[in-house]
Amino acid sequence: MKTNKTLYRILILAGFILINAGILYGISQVIAFLNTGADRSKMLHLDETKERHYVPQVTWESIENPGRPMEEANLKSIEEDYLDAWYVKNRAFYTGENAGVFDHFTEQARGKVEDLITLNNEANVYIESTTLTHHLSLEFYSADGTLVVLTDRNVTGVERVFKNEQFLVERSFNDDYKIILLLEDGFWRVRHFEKVASHPVDDVQKKTIPLDLALLEGINYYPQGSPWDTFGATFSKDTLTTDFKIINDLKLNSIRVFVGFEDFGKARVPREKLEKLTSLLDETQAANLKVVVTLFDFYGDYRIQDWTITNAHLYSIVTHLKDHPALLGWDIKNEPNLDFESRGQREVLSWLSQTIDYLKTIDNTHPVTIGWSSPEAALHLENKVDLVSYHYYKDLKDLAAAHKSITDVTSKPVVLQEFGLAAYHGLWNPIGPDEEDQAAYYTEFYKTQKRDSIHYLSWTLYDFRDIPSEVAGRLPWRKNKQAFFGIVNTLGVKDDAYLVIKNR
């Protein structure tokens, strides 16, 4: 009994000490917070947000200042805090709330932003917007290092206006601003924010870029051991060399490969991934093959708030590859129309349109296309692309009519970018097609292809053992079907269709 009382006393004393230690720790953290000023990036998670959602392209056109020289570290802080202010303002006009405004604008500027938020809320209006490019010049930097005057020219971007939850209009803009920033609590806050000019938005649509092949005859390519993960841990130049010899044996002239958006680091594309992509093009060049690079694989957001991150991703890849002699062209996105229902057709088409425009400002020598999942979708944004591409997995007897329905209304080259037949007749499809049926399929295809001179890329070189669930879901009859579109099986044996293609 005495032992139990002693134990209880010890537990009570220990609990008392722990509670008081927690209280003292909490008080110390509050004091430290008040003494050092609030970390706005942590308060609003802006460090994470900028990386994922807001990284517009910034060009400093001038940082010359006759008084105090601009320090490199301070220049970076000014840029980051200024962009944070843009992000917060755009978000406030979208949500109708003033979160973050206090931290990024001084009292006078804050009042103007909050007045606009109130006005929009009263009219039941909200604005979804982002900037895409900024061109900054330093006009003044005070001797005490606490005041900066900037000119931000050619601020390009896009905004959508909604009223009573109904979409009204989408517009692109190109504006100039005069900005005054004050250094307060270790952060640069906007003191003055004024639009001083608006410019016409350039139409980047230029003449159609021709296809650099008289007839595109190719195949969609993944290494057999790493389907949907060409540039992963098992990447091997020896594998590429072997595979491209097989494609040479088929007398094909091109391949289509896929660059995963997340796999390639979103906005921050790792050097290692770019080097692997270059190695693949080097091997295709050695094999006298051309490459269609499909971008943004497994991407599916499309929101305006995400455009700066996708543009940064695009810029890294396109600038790295655009001068490679093996590059045939760019495919912006694989089967984006499948996202119409979940993401909204207007949202998807708007993202595609601006992505094409942006790509053409970086590379105006290689043709651009979109890999639509069906002939019915193929004419979306036909005025933007250089090649019209579609996929076809229906009965071949209707292929000629489907292809003609596109060629009749466009003068641009039309590419059958995916087609094929899965030779799968296993447990989940006991009466499905076999290798002989697949060979007959290709024999029938080439009758139409030769008659109509169809550009094509078949699906695909190999059968695969493991299909990622994100590609075909978890249902075994779907995954197994996707595994048997190849013309070389998992044992390395060439199917009958292989000889049909080779001897076409």
Side-chain angles (χ1 to χ4, degrees):
M1 189 71 171
K2 185 175 181 181
T3 302
N4 288 341
K5 287 183 178 180
T6 302
L7 180 61
Y8 292 150
R9 287 171 181 162
I10 292 172
L11 291 173
I12 291 170
L13 181 61
F16 177 79
I17 293 171
L18 288 172
I19 291 170
N20 280 276
I23 292 171
L24 290 172
Y25 176 78
I27 292 173
S28 68
Q29 290 298 103
V30 171
I31 292 172
F33 176 81
L34 294 174
N35 284 340
T36 59
D39 185 340
R40 298 199 313 273
S41 66
K42 291 181 179 178
M43 290 168 61
L44 293 174
H45 305 288
L46 284 173
D47 52 343
E48 178 184 6
T49 302
K50 284 188 299 180
E51 182 176 352
R52 291 187 301 160
H53 294 302
Y54 193 63
V55 285
Q57 184 177 5
V58 176
T59 302
W60 281 94
E61 296 185 335
S62 172
I63 58 171
E64 296 298 324
N65 185 61
R68 174 181 174 133
M70 174 58 69
E71 307 87 346
E72 183 176 346
N74 215 8
L75 187 70
K76 181 179 179 181
S77 295
I78 290 168
E79 178 181 316
E80 290 181 352
D81 290 351
Y82 173 56
L83 294 180
D84 285 351
W86 266 103
Y87 175 78
V88 164
K89 181 172 72 72
N90 289 341
R91 186 173 65 174
F93 290 163
Y94 180 59
T95 63
E97 300 174 356
N98 66 351
V101 173
F102 177 86
D103 302 294
H104 294 81
F105 294 83
T106 65
E107 183 176 357
Q108 180 175 338
R110 182 164 67 240
K112 292 182 179 179
V113 174
E114 292 176 340
D115 287 345
L116 288 171
I117 295 172
T118 300
L119 185 65
N120 287 345
N121 287 342
E122 290 174 349
N124 203 17
V125 168
Y126 69 92
I127 301 170
E128 185 181 18
S129 65
T130 190
T131 60
L132 300 173
T133 62
H134 294 261
H135 301 82
L136 293 165
S137 295
L138 178 65
E139 306 294 345
F140 177 75
Y141 183 30
S142 65
D144 62 359
T146 62
L147 184 147
V148 163
V149 179
L150 304 176
T151 299
D152 193 356
R153 296 182 178 87
N154 300 120
V155 179
T156 63
V158 65
E159 66 178 15
R160 295 179 187 143
V161 181
F162 298 80
K163 183 176 176 63
N164 298 323
E165 301 298 325
Q166 298 297 314
F167 171 76
L168 293 182
V169 67
E170 176 176 319
R171 76 173 190 95
S172 298
F173 56 82
N174 181 352
D175 301 326
D176 296 346
Y177 289 85
K178 185 71 72 175
I179 312 296
I180 299 176
L181 300 170
L182 293 180
L183 185 63
E184 298 180 348
D185 302 326
F187 298 100
W188 290 97
R189 288 188 169 98
V190 174
R191 169 65 175 78
H192 179 74
F193 195 99
E194 179 185 2
K195 181 165 67 175
V196 295
S198 292
H199 308 288
V201 176
D202 293 336
D203 182 5
V204 299
Q205 181 65 28
K206 297 179 173 63
K207 65 179 181 180
T208 300
I209 301 170
L211 178 65
D212 191 24
L213 287 173
L215 182 64
L216 191 159
E217 296 185 281
I219 197 162
N220 287 270
Y221 173 74
Y222 292 110
Q224 189 166 47
S226 54
W228 287 270
D229 188 25
T230 301
F231 305 98
T234 61
F235 180 87
S236 166
K237 288 200 288 187
D238 291 340
T239 297
L240 298 178
T241 300
T242 300
D243 291 350
F244 295 163
K245 286 180 180 178
I246 295 173
I247 296 173
N248 284 150
D249 184 58
L250 288 165
K251 303 172 186 175
L252 299 173
N253 58 21
S254 53
I255 64 170
R256 177 178 177 230
V257 299
F258 300 80
V259 172
F261 176 63
E262 292 192 11
D263 180 45
F264 270 68
K266 300 181 181 180
R268 302 180 184 276
V269 179
R271 186 74 187 178
E272 173 195 1
K273 292 291 185 179
L274 293 174
E275 290 173 352
K276 288 180 178 180
L277 192 52
T278 301
S279 292
L280 183 140
L281 267 71
D282 289 343
E283 293 301 315
T284 55
Q285 183 185 6
N288 199 30
L289 297 170
K290 292 286 189 177
V291 185
V292 176
V293 177
T294 296
L295 302 163
F296 296 105
D297 207 26
F298 295 110
Y299 174 73
D301 197 327
Y302 306 107
R303 295 176 306 152
I304 279 179
Q305 293 87 345
D306 215 37
W307 286 10
T308 61
I309 200 82
T310 57
N311 280 1
H313 177 89
L314 183 77
Y315 182 85
S316 294
I317 294 170
V318 174
T319 55
H320 188 78
L321 286 188
K322 68 177 183 176
D323 296 323
H324 200 291
L327 179 65
L328 179 63
W330 303 104
D331 178 14
I332 296 294
K333 179 81 174 70
N334 186 56
E335 301 187 340
N337 54 302
L338 298 185
D339 294 328
F340 280 178
E341 184 175 351
S342 62
R343 296 298 183 180
Q345 180 171 324
R346 184 185 67 242
E347 195 101 337
V348 175
L349 292 179
S350 185
W351 176 84
L352 288 167
S353 179
Q354 85 85 28
T355 303
I356 292 171
D357 288 346
Y358 184 60
L359 190 154
K360 285 179 174 290
T361 66
I362 307 169
D363 179 4
N364 59 6
T365 60
H366 292 97
V368 176
T369 192
I370 300 168
W372 301 107
S373 74
S374 67
E376 293 77 16
L379 292 172
H380 285 301
L381 301 180
E382 183 269 344
N383 64 316
K384 290 279 187 179
V385 298
D386 303 295
L387 314 174
V388 176
S389 298
Y390 70 98
H391 303 170
Y392 191 87
Y393 291 99
K394 299 178 182 178
D395 196 314
L396 281 179
K397 67 181 177 63
D398 299 318
L399 173 60
H403 191 76
K404 189 173 186 297
S405 70
I406 303 171
T407 58
D408 279 352
V409 293
T410 181
S411 60
K412 297 175 179 179
V414 178
V415 179
L416 174 53
Q417 195 183 53
E418 286 186 23
F419 71 99
L421 182 70
Y424 174 64
H425 57 284
L427 174 64
W428 299 105
N429 190 18
I431 59 172
D434 58 16
E435 287 80 2
E436 289 185 6
D437 296 320
Q438 189 186 49
Y441 172 92
Y442 276 98
T443 299
E444 183 65 24
F445 164 74
Y446 278 111
K447 293 178 183 177
T448 303
Q449 186 273 326
K450 290 179 180 179
R451 184 189 68 225
D452 298 341
S453 300
I454 297 175
H455 300 284
Y456 68 89
L457 292 142
S458 61
W459 188 275
T460 177
L461 180 62
Y462 284 118
D463 286 346
F464 304 114
R465 295 184 187 277
D466 298 309
I467 302 295
S469 295
E470 57 266 29
V471 173
R474 297 185 178 278
L475 299 176
W477 50 90
R478 291 184 179 177
K479 295 184 74 171
N480 287 351
K481 179 181 179 180
Q482 187 64 58
F484 290 94
F485 276 93
I487 55 173
V488 178
N489 68 25
T490 55
L491 299 176
V493 177
K494 297 169 182 177
D495 295 337
D496 294 345
Y498 183 100
L499 293 176
V500 173
I501 296 174
K502 179 178 178 178
N503 299 320
R504 63 191 181 279

